[in-house]
């Protein structure tokens, strides 16, 4: 539910509310096990959720007794969350701004998918294929050929085709316009770490996202039937010359089992990526036993190119095993503190805040869970420099 606030007084009220929540909440260790107080057995107390930990650096988890230990993950940043409730079960440097590679296509799809019915046919021009980055992954879109929009989306999700992204972005009004729309979409979802320069995820100066934001995009994508269908498609036929077709396969090896990677049970897909600047990146979701988890893994520092899939597998296994044995460290639904023009805007449980009009946010604020609402902190992002060789 969204509630509009037109008075700046609401901002102050929300800040006071958040401060009250944090003042009352007991301190909790970032990594460790939550002890059970024997004297509390049988007592029913109205306890406030502890403050979120996702703004903190390092690994954040709240293990109860009986919880499995976290796996040893080498990625620079990662996160595992319950896709149904939005609760973040564990994370490492969740808001660290890093190059996303083609996982940014999740945001591209969330932004552009609703604009064009799948059955629309379009004849591709040379101008629409101009400017594709050197070394980009391609599905094989050809100038002068006519494609259905659904064909182009299969090229985006399966082959990570930057050529298909360029055509869809041109249909959407252009490259720069699409980038700005993507950032607006990200903000509307509470994803504040993302800067879009190249909508296909190709390395570009200043382009960045985070494990948190990418998990938000993946979770939102699962709620879109078209997105969910495309991202879970393992194999498809793509239009070729003279009415022929050729086979394309999803580059997400956890889905297809290609190159010796064992498919993950219950995998719902989503998106993988690679560039020389970003390393290997992955947003993956799986459903088992009535629960759906979403994980993000960004740039593993050990192993070969398939390490990103194995670390995602370990995080998914841990998340399913940890059900009922961990307390959340944050929420994918939470609006975080925003620093703008020297003032912080804080959203807390049961309240909503309207940021300054010049910030580019809409006039309505989303009610945020206290699980993920924390004390105001100014986020410092890591710069992304240079264009590099890009694939997937």
């Amino acid at each position: 539910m969204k509630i509009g606030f037109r008075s700046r007084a609401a901002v102050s009220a929300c800040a006071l509310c958040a401060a009250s929540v944090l003042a009352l909440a007991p301190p909790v260790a970032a990594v460790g096990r939550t002890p059970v107080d024997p004297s509390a057995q049988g007592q029913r107390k109205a306890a406030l959720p502890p403050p979120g930990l996702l703004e903190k650096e390092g690994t954040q988890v709240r293990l109860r007794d009986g919880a499995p230990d976290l796996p040893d993950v080498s990625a620079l940043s990662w996160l595992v969350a319950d896709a149904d409730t939005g609760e973040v079960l564990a994370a490492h440097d969740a808001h660290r701004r890093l190059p996303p590679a083609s996982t940014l296509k999740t945001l591209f799809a969330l932004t552009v998918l609703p604009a064009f019915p799948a059955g629309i046919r379009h004849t591709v021009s040379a101008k629409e294929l101009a400017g594709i980055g050197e070394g980009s992954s391609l599905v094989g879109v050809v100038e002068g050929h006519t494609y259905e929009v659904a064909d182009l989306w299969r090229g985006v999700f399966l082959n990570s085709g930057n050529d298909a992204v360029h055509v869809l972005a041109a249909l959407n009004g252009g490259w720069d316009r699409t980038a700005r729309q993507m950032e607006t979409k990200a903000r509307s979802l509470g994803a504040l770490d993302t800067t879009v320069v190249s909508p296909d995820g190709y390395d570009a100066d200043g382009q960045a996202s985070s494990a948190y934001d990418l998990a938000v995009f993946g979770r939102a994508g699962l709620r879109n039937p078209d997105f969910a269908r495309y991202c879970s498609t393992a194999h498809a036929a793509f239009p070729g010359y003279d009415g022929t077709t050729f086979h394309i396969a999803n580059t997400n090896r956890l889905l297809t089992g290609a190159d010796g990677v064992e498919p993950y049970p219950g995998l719902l897909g989503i998106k993988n990526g690679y560039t020389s600047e970003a390393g290997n990146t992955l947003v993956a979701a799986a459903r088992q036993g009535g629960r759906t988890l979403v994980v993000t893994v960004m740039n593993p520092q050990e192993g070969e190119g398939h390490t990103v899939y194995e670390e995602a597998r370990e995080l998914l296994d841990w998340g399913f095993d940890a059900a009922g044995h961990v307390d959340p460290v944050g929420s994918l639904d939470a609006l975080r503190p925003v620093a703008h023009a020297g003032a912080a805007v804080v959203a807390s449980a049961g309240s909503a805040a309207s940021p300054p009009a010049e910030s580019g946010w809409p006039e309505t604020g989303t009610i945020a869970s206290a699980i993920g609402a924390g004390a105001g902190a100014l986020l410092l992002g890591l710069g992304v420099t240079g264009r590099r060789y890009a694939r997937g």
Side-chain angles (χ1 to χ4, degrees):
M1 178 176 71
K2 293 187 176 181
I3 302 176
F5 284 82
R6 299 189 179 276
S7 171
R8 296 299 177 100
V11 176
S12 299
C14 289
L16 290 173
C17 180
S20 298
V21 170
L22 296 177
L24 293 172
V28 182
V31 181
R33 299 183 183 274
T34 303
V36 177
D37 181 2
S39 65
Q41 298 298 321
Q43 299 181 24
R44 299 181 63 184
K45 295 182 179 180
L48 289 173
L53 302 174
L54 297 182
E55 301 294 342
K56 297 179 178 293
E57 294 182 357
T59 300
Q60 309 300 329
V61 65
R62 289 179 169 126
L63 300 172
R64 299 180 191 169
D65 289 340
D69 291 328
L70 280 170
D72 185 11
V73 178
S74 71
L76 293 180
S77 179
W78 55 263
L79 181 146
V80 54
D82 188 307
D84 297 314
T85 66
E87 292 179 344
V88 178
L89 308 182
H92 178 82
D93 288 350
H95 291 298
R96 181 174 179 177
R97 300 181 74 245
L98 295 167
S102 284
T103 53
L104 191 64
K105 290 181 170 78
T106 57
L107 178 58
F108 174 76
L110 287 174
T111 304
V112 181
L113 252 176
F116 307 104
I120 289 179
R121 296 178 63 80
H122 174 70
T123 301
V124 174
S125 69
K127 182 178 180 180
E128 292 167 342
L129 295 175
I132 297 175
E134 180 182 356
S136 288
S137 52
L138 306 172
V139 67
V141 176
V142 179
E143 172 193 349
H145 196 88
T146 300
Y147 301 88
E148 288 190 353
V149 166
D151 295 324
L152 297 173
W153 281 117
R154 282 187 282 268
V156 170
F157 277 93
L158 276 69
N159 264 52
S160 203
N162 288 1
D163 47 357
V165 173
H166 273 254
V167 174
L168 288 165
L171 286 173
N172 190 55
W175 201 243
D176 293 338
R177 181 175 187 269
T178 298
R180 301 291 74 74
Q181 287 182 338
M182 289 169 66
E183 290 189 345
T184 299
K185 181 66 175 179
R187 293 188 186 100
S188 75
L189 295 170
L192 311 182
D193 303 322
T194 299
T195 301
V196 180
V197 179
S198 187
D200 55 6
Y202 195 84
D203 286 337
D205 291 350
Q207 181 151 280
S209 191
S210 68
Y212 180 92
D213 284 14
L214 292 173
V216 168
F217 304 151
R219 182 191 183 211
L222 294 177
R223 296 172 173 176
N224 180 309
D226 292 329
F227 185 113
R229 182 176 67 257
Y230 289 130
C231 81
S232 63
T233 300
H235 304 275
F238 194 81
Y241 298 102
D242 302 324
T244 62
T245 61
F246 58 91
H247 175 265
I248 59 175
N250 202 309
T251 56
N252 183 350
R253 291 164 179 81
L254 273 188
L255 181 66
T256 63
D259 300 330
V261 176
E262 183 180 351
Y264 192 82
L267 195 80
L268 303 176
I270 300 188
K271 193 71 190 74
N272 60 307
Y274 173 80
T275 68
S276 57
E277 190 75 25
N280 287 285
T281 59
L282 176 66
V283 184
R287 186 165 184 80
Q288 294 181 10
R291 296 182 71 231
T292 302
L293 298 181
V294 59
V295 303
T296 307
V297 179
M298 301 188 75
N299 201 349
Q301 299 297 290
E302 298 177 1
E304 304 297 332
H306 295 167
T307 300
V308 69
Y309 300 110
E310 299 311 319
E311 294 193 350
R313 182 194 310 278
E314 292 173 354
L315 289 172
L316 285 167
D317 285 345
W318 176 84
F320 286 120
D321 291 342
H325 297 288
V326 295
D327 292 313
V329 293
S331 173
L332 297 181
D333 287 320
L335 289 179
R336 298 183 288 112
V338 183
H340 186 86
V345 180
V346 180
S348 66
S351 64
S354 177
E358 64 270 23
S359 70
W361 279 71
E363 282 294 313
T364 56
T366 302
I367 292 181
S369 166
I371 293 173
L378 184 63
L379 299 180
L380 299 178
L382 297 178
V384 184
T385 58
R387 283 186 175 270
R388 300 290 189 271
Y389 186 81
R391 285 202 179 276

